[in-house]
Amino acid sequence: MDPYDYPRTWEADVVLIDGGTVHLRPITPDDGERLLAFHGRLSERTRYFRFFGPYPRMPKRDVERFTTVDHADRVAFVALLGDDIVAVGRYDRLGGGDSAEVAFVVQDEHQGRGLGSILLEHLAAAARERGLSRFTAEVLAENGQMVRVFRDAGYKVSRAFEEGVLHLEFDIDPTEESVAVARAREQAAEARSVHNLLHPRSVAVIGASTDPTKIGHAVLVNLLEGVFHGPVYPVNAEHRSVRGVRAYPSVLDIPDDVDLAVVAVPAAGVDEVMDACLAKGVKALVVVTSGFGETGPGGLSAERRLAAEARAHGMRVVGPNALGVLNTEPSVRLNATLAPRLPGRGRTGFFCQSGALGTAILAAAAERGLGLSTFVSAGNRADVSGNDMLQYWETDPATDVVLLYLESFGNPRKFARLARRLGRTKPIVAVKSGRHAVSPALAATGVQVDESSVQALFEQAGVIRVESLAQLFDTALLLAHQPLPAGPRVSVVGNSTAIGLLAADTALAQGLELAGAPVDVGAQAGPEVFAKAVQDALANPDTDALVVVFVPPLAVPGAAFARALRDVAGTKPIVSTFLAVEGVPDELAVPGPDGAPGRGSVPSYPSPERAVLALARATRYARWRSAPQGHFVRPDGIDAEAAQALVESLALAEEQRVDDETAVRLLACYGVEVVPFRVVSSAEEAVAAARALGFPVALKSVDERLRHRTDLVGVRLDLTGEDAVRSAYEMLAEVSERADVYVQRMAPKGISCVVGLQDDPSFGTLVSFGLSGLVSDLLGDRAYRAVPLTETDARALVRAPKAAPLLAGYRGGESADLPALEELVLRLAALAEDLPEVRELALEPVLASAAGAFVTSARLTLGPPPSRHDTGPRRLRSPGGAR
């Protein structure tokens, strides 16, 4: 095999434990000089551990042997930092079998950064692709660090000890533990990389201008006026100082280390700036410069080069075309943005893509009294993305609520996984723009996902989806300042019957329940009476949340009522319409850090409808969060190997609809039985088939357009005799003008459903469920969930369509076997996980009754498997690609 010919998917940028990055790729003969230099940098002890003896110099024949591999039976990966190799891992197949010996070595200065575990993950993935199933390793007993790499990887490792050498063996198929270990390491590494970005010890502003109209000037001023707790270095080749701070001609001239560089030079000059930052050892870049991916293919190419070069040298990048980053932590006070004011300190993290919108978002947060912990506006997201921020906020002790303004997705599958995990402890509120229209610039900077996929993703992950920034802030104000509702029961207290009834009507329309009739204390009631009514409502055990509606009287200042409300607030959430104020007025605020409104503050809304809508969203989220998470379930009776062999035997070169026999065989591998049928081409064949299947039978046209018509022109049901079968055959053959007709055993009568799989090339596979029929099709009454599914997901899916109550004995009808439908859903989910070649599958109709769920027809489309962005070993997305 050509030593330069390897799968390009084997190349990857990876994040290490300390937040730095390296580039991983297969070794090639061109790496000879790099390998010699790497070997020369190893300590004697490290060489001894790797080669079991002195090995001061690597002979030419060994260099050639180590760098020339076939990428099949002999595979080796190098980890590169810049142009230098810092780690090497390899495997060699043993005796032509399914086992290989694995070994790796890491340069002393880079040991302890997680390179060993990353090499093991990527080698195992490559080995599985090449048909290997087991690794062996020989490790000196005193090499405890290497033993821990194998021990802590999550595989079941067997050991044998002989003459000071440990012989280790383990299967390399992913286990639940190995996947959990890899994802925990991924979270820790990516969170650390963002932590480094948001906690720099020093900042350089490259392009810091003396012209107040230039963005470089604005960034510098904002850093200084935000009182960043560290040195700020303006970089300006033409002036000795900017804003009274000494300036440097180049970042290379700065005498101290630089953790973060904000780049505000024209796009044409960014490459030169990048070279200087790499040489300086800058750890992170924020590129506010525009003129990259949003301008077209040329700009996108430059953007990808920028991100790739940065990662290869251990650097993370925010942007380009970004507003910047900020951190309100008192020990940091970082405002590396174009926004003129550092927001108040709070416990809400905010991520958005749009730089232009970012300034408005920060201003709106300040106006409403919503304090922030951290904020990132990532622009084109060449590197750092919303998924990185979810990883960071999951373990950030300063953040309780996460807000997202998303224009596109980088890696939707990974987003779903991370959001689902984070949402169990911290609420996520998201605006997803581009629902109805997508700009060409936006299409170039992310993955566009079908709307049904987005909705399924958010519902499954517990993300609170809102339609506008106003709704985002309405919901965030409640979540940031008040506890979650324990249930859906709401009390309404106020001094206006009309406004109280409006709040109650809105609550009922949103699926909330009233704990009692709205309480009106009267327009003339004083603060004490008002406070007593609020206290009584909160003390009511039937109250889960309280809505306070207040119209200020003429005689008593409204501030007195506000303070009375704030002072009696307790452990149940309160929303209010107070003093026509939007946000948290001073009178309703409980001071938090830096004087910003803190926990216990009562949010106010300009209308009772907006207050109740925010409460309803929080209630639905609380219900999702308290519900059982479920477990990823794989039903019994699945033969995945037979299914894979069947698909491989088709040698798919392009998408194609498979025949009925293949569809039935593939479904049978997953325990999904289609009601027995035959295809016949004459009346006598139809009669013979009916006898073989057993009466009663149904005859159906092979033409789907006729078969699914509402007037059933293409179907004849409940045929109990031979004459009826002959007559039905003649009629169907005449209508369809085709001789072929289906003869199928009659299934028990039931409610007609449709269950299916649909593939989104960026997101993965969705399982869909709905009731068949013209009305359901017209209204789009389908529910979706993304694979993999838990049993909780399956249960929710079959109950999600608006028409689903028909399955549960609506108006005295007999209830269908819902567990049978849930099992069918889980079997399809397992099929989708195992076989990415399945591009579309529709089971229609599925007849659901008390007797079970009976599949009467299946349409299956297979094709070459698409790439899966959240599978395999840890990696960053390709710059400008899915992440």
Side-chain angles (χ1 to χ4, degrees):
M1 181 178 284
D2 184 347
Y4 295 93
D5 183 17
Y6 57 82
R8 298 303 144 181
T9 54
W10 285 8
E11 291 201 39
D13 297 317
V14 293
V15 185
L16 307 180
I17 289 172
D18 58 6
T21 57
V22 295
H23 184 69
L24 202 72
R25 64 165 172 77
I27 202 166
T28 70
D30 292 343
D31 290 316
E33 292 299 323
R34 294 188 187 91
L35 186 64
L36 275 174
F38 165 71
H39 187 77
R41 292 192 297 270
L42 300 179
S43 68
E44 290 184 9
R45 180 177 176 82
T46 295
R47 291 193 201 113
Y48 171 73
F49 280 159
R50 169 63 181 90
F51 299 104
F52 291 26
Y55 194 57
R57 290 177 300 278
M58 186 178 289
K60 182 179 179 181
R61 66 177 183 278
D62 285 356
V63 173
E64 292 176 354
R65 180 167 61 91
F66 286 145
T67 58
T68 306
V69 296
D70 60 12
H71 307 294
D73 293 338
R74 299 180 64 241
V75 169
F77 285 100
V78 291
L80 294 159
L81 186 59
D83 291 328
D84 294 333
I85 295 175
V86 295
V88 181
R90 63 190 312 112
Y91 76 70
D92 292 87
R93 189 188 293 263
L94 297 173
D98 62 356
S99 295
E101 183 175 3
V102 64
F104 35 87
V105 59
V106 179
Q107 188 175 319
D108 296 69
E109 293 84 351
H110 296 277
Q111 292 174 10
R113 302 183 70 197
L115 278 163
S117 61
I118 285 174
L119 284 168
L120 179 59
E121 284 181 38
H122 284 260
L123 286 168
R128 290 193 297 271
E129 284 188 38
R130 299 311 193 197
L132 293 164
S133 62
R134 193 167 181 80
F135 273 170
T136 68
E138 305 286 336
V139 183
L140 289 174
E142 64 260 45
N143 191 354
Q145 194 167 359
M146 190 61 65
V147 173
R148 283 193 297 275
V149 169
F150 292 111
R151 184 192 65 196
D152 297 341
Y155 298 109
K156 294 181 178 179
V157 180
S158 64
R159 302 183 182 192
F161 181 77
E162 184 177 353
E163 296 182 355
V165 176
L166 279 171
H167 178 79
L168 310 176
E169 291 191 20
F170 53 94
D171 291 336
I172 57 175
D173 283 337
T175 66
E176 186 173 336
E177 184 180 355
S178 70
V179 171
V181 166
R183 288 183 171 172
R185 288 171 171 166
E186 172 196 63
Q187 189 278 326
E190 293 182 5
R192 186 67 199 181
S193 73
V194 175
H195 179 276
N196 295 345
L197 169 72
L198 293 172
H199 294 77
R201 292 165 298 180
S202 58
V203 179
V205 181
I206 303 175
S209 175
T210 58
D211 183 347
T213 65
K214 297 294 181 64
I215 59 174
H217 181 90
V219 173
L220 177 65
V221 169
N222 296 340
L223 275 165
L224 297 174
E225 294 187 351
V227 195
F228 172 62
H229 283 208
V232 177
Y233 303 108
V235 175
N236 185 312
E238 298 177 355
H239 295 86
R240 297 188 62 185
S241 67
V242 182
R243 287 279 295 190
V245 181
R246 180 184 174 182
Y248 297 87
S250 164
V251 70
L252 293 171
D253 297 313
I254 297 172
D256 301 312
D257 292 339
V258 175
D259 286 347
L260 174 66
V262 183
V263 180
V265 301
V270 170
D271 281 348
E272 183 180 349
V273 167
M274 168 65 94
D275 291 341
C277 288
L278 296 179
K280 180 65 178 176
V282 174
K283 295 182 175 61
L285 288 185
V286 172
V287 183
V288 298
T289 304
S290 59
F292 286 88
E294 76 280 4
T295 65
L300 182 60
S301 177
E303 179 178 305
R304 288 173 172 166
R305 288 198 309 272
L306 169 71
E309 190 73 6
R311 288 177 181 172
H313 288 79
M315 183 190 300
R316 301 303 305 269
V317 178
V318 173
N321 195 29
L323 180 75
V325 301
L326 61 81
N327 183 355
T328 62
E329 184 176 316
S331 63
V332 180
R333 295 191 60 84
L334 172 71
N335 184 9
T337 75
L338 299 177
R341 191 165 53 132
L342 190 69
R345 174 82 172 145
R347 302 191 61 79
T348 299
F350 206 133
F351 172 84
C352 77
Q353 292 170 221
S354 169
L357 196 61
T359 303
I361 286 172
L362 291 174
E367 289 171 5
R368 290 167 170 81
L370 179 66
L372 300 180
S373 58
T374 44
F375 171 88
V376 172
S377 166
N380 295 357
R381 297 176 304 121
D383 180 24
V384 173
S385 70
N387 286 344
D388 291 291
M389 299 310 301
L390 294 184
Q391 298 276 42
Y392 171 72
W393 283 321
E394 181 179 351
T395 50
D396 177 29
T399 300
D400 293 332
V401 179
V402 169
L403 306 183
L404 306 172
Y405 187 93
L406 302 172
E407 298 170 5
S408 63
F409 287 100
N411 182 342
R413 281 175 68 93
K414 185 173 180 179
F415 175 89
R417 170 168 63 86
L418 301 183
R420 187 171 191 157
R421 190 175 67 205
L422 173 59
R424 288 293 170 182
T425 56
K426 300 179 182 182
I428 303 170
V429 190
V431 179
K432 171 63 176 72
S433 67
R435 176 179 289 203
H436 303 296
V438 178
S439 70
L442 176 59
T445 60
V447 176
Q448 301 311 309
V449 182
D450 181 78
E451 175 59 27
S452 59
S453 300
V454 175
Q455 192 59 35
L457 182 156
F458 283 169
E459 288 179 1
Q460 216 168 338
V463 175
I464 304 170
R465 186 177 191 178
V466 294
E467 301 299 322
S468 65
L469 280 175
Q471 292 181 3
L472 184 84
F473 284 117
D474 284 353
T475 309
L477 284 167
L478 172 58
L479 296 171
H481 298 120
Q482 292 288 308
L484 289 174
R489 301 168 301 176
V490 176
S491 289
V492 180
V493 173
N495 63 352
S496 166
T497 298
I499 298 179
L501 288 174
L502 187 58
D505 286 345
T506 306
L508 293 172
Q510 289 296 311
L512 301 176
E513 303 170 10
L514 294 180
V519 175
D520 180 5
V521 299
Q524 303 304 314
E528 297 80 8
V529 174
F530 179 72
K532 180 65 166 60
V534 170
Q535 272 186 317
D536 291 344
L538 291 172
N540 181 354
D542 293 332
T543 298
D544 296 315
L546 178 63
V547 180
V548 176
V549 293
F550 178 78
V551 178
L554 296 178
V556 182
F561 290 84
R563 286 191 291 269
L565 171 61
R566 180 192 63 193
D567 292 343
V568 298
T571 58
K572 296 179 180 179
I574 301 174
V575 293
S576 70
T577 56
F578 224 89
L579 307 174
V581 171
E582 182 174 356
V584 181
D586 292 341
E587 295 84 358
L588 290 174
V590 174
D594 294 350
R599 203 76 184 164
S601 300
V602 179
S604 176
Y605 300 87
S607 71
E609 295 96 332
R610 282 176 60 176
V612 174
L613 284 169
L615 181 60
R617 294 184 198 105
T619 301
R620 287 192 288 270
Y621 165 71
R623 182 170 61 243
W624 173 86
R625 180 163 149 173
S626 63
Q629 295 187 40
H631 300 87
F632 294 114
V633 175
R634 191 171 178 86
D636 295 331
I638 290 176
D639 190 345
E641 291 185 3
Q644 188 62 57
L646 175 59
V647 170
E648 289 176 356
S649 71
L650 299 175
L652 300 165
E654 59 184 17
E655 281 193 24
Q656 64 182 59
R657 169 87 173 268
V658 303
D659 58 45
D660 293 328
E661 180 185 358
T662 301
V664 169
R665 287 174 59 198
L666 190 64
L667 289 169
C669 293
Y670 285 83
V672 177
E673 294 185 5
V674 178
V675 177
F677 67 91
R678 303 281 192 277
V679 179
V680 300
S681 55
S682 71
E684 292 311 311
E685 286 182 13
V687 170
R691 288 198 207 102
L693 293 169
F695 290 100
V697 296
L699 265 64
K700 300 186 292 186
S701 170
V702 295
D703 188 331
E704 291 178 9
R705 295 171 299 174
L706 298 176
R707 198 162 67 241
H708 294 298
R709 279 178 49 166
T710 55
D711 58 6
L712 298 181
V713 69
V715 179
R716 296 293 184 273
L717 304 175
D718 286 316
L719 305 176
T720 58
E722 295 181 2
D723 290 341
V725 169
R726 289 190 183 91
S727 175
Y729 175 84
E730 298 295 346
M731 294 174 65
L732 290 177
E734 181 180 357
V735 167
S736 63
E737 299 181 346
R738 296 178 62 176
D740 289 347
V741 170
Y742 287 114
V743 180
Q744 188 168 43
R745 182 188 302 160
M746 279 295 296
K749 289 184 173 58
I751 297 172
S752 182
C753 304
V754 54
V755 188
L757 300 174
Q758 66 182 57
D759 180 73
D760 186 307
S762 63
F763 180 45
T765 305
L766 298 178
V767 185
S768 63
F769 177 79
L771 274 63
S772 300
L774 185 63
V775 174
S776 292
D777 291 343
L778 180 65
L779 298 179
D781 189 19
R782 295 283 187 274
Y784 301 87
R785 292 293 184 273
V787 297
L789 264 61
T790 68
E791 79 276 17
T792 302
D793 294 328
R795 188 177 188 279
L797 179 63
V798 301
R799 291 163 175 80
K802 294 181 178 65
L806 293 172
L807 297 167
Y810 184 68
R811 290 190 174 181
E814 187 177 35
S815 178
D817 185 353
L818 291 175
L821 283 173
E822 294 166 20
E823 182 176 341
L824 177 60
V825 164
L826 289 171
R827 290 185 180 279
L828 291 194
L831 184 153
E833 278 289 281
D834 293 346
L835 301 173
E837 295 87 352
V838 174
R839 312 311 295 272
E840 187 176 7
L841 171 64
L843 306 183
E844 184 182 14
V846 175
L847 298 177
S849 66
F854 297 87
V855 179
T856 65
S857 179
R859 302 189 306 275
L860 175 63
T861 299
L862 300 177
S867 60
R868 287 288 186 249
H869 298 306
D870 193 35
T871 57
R874 287 175 280 162
R875 66 176 61 230
L876 291 172
R877 61 170 175 149
S878 299
R883 173 130 187 246

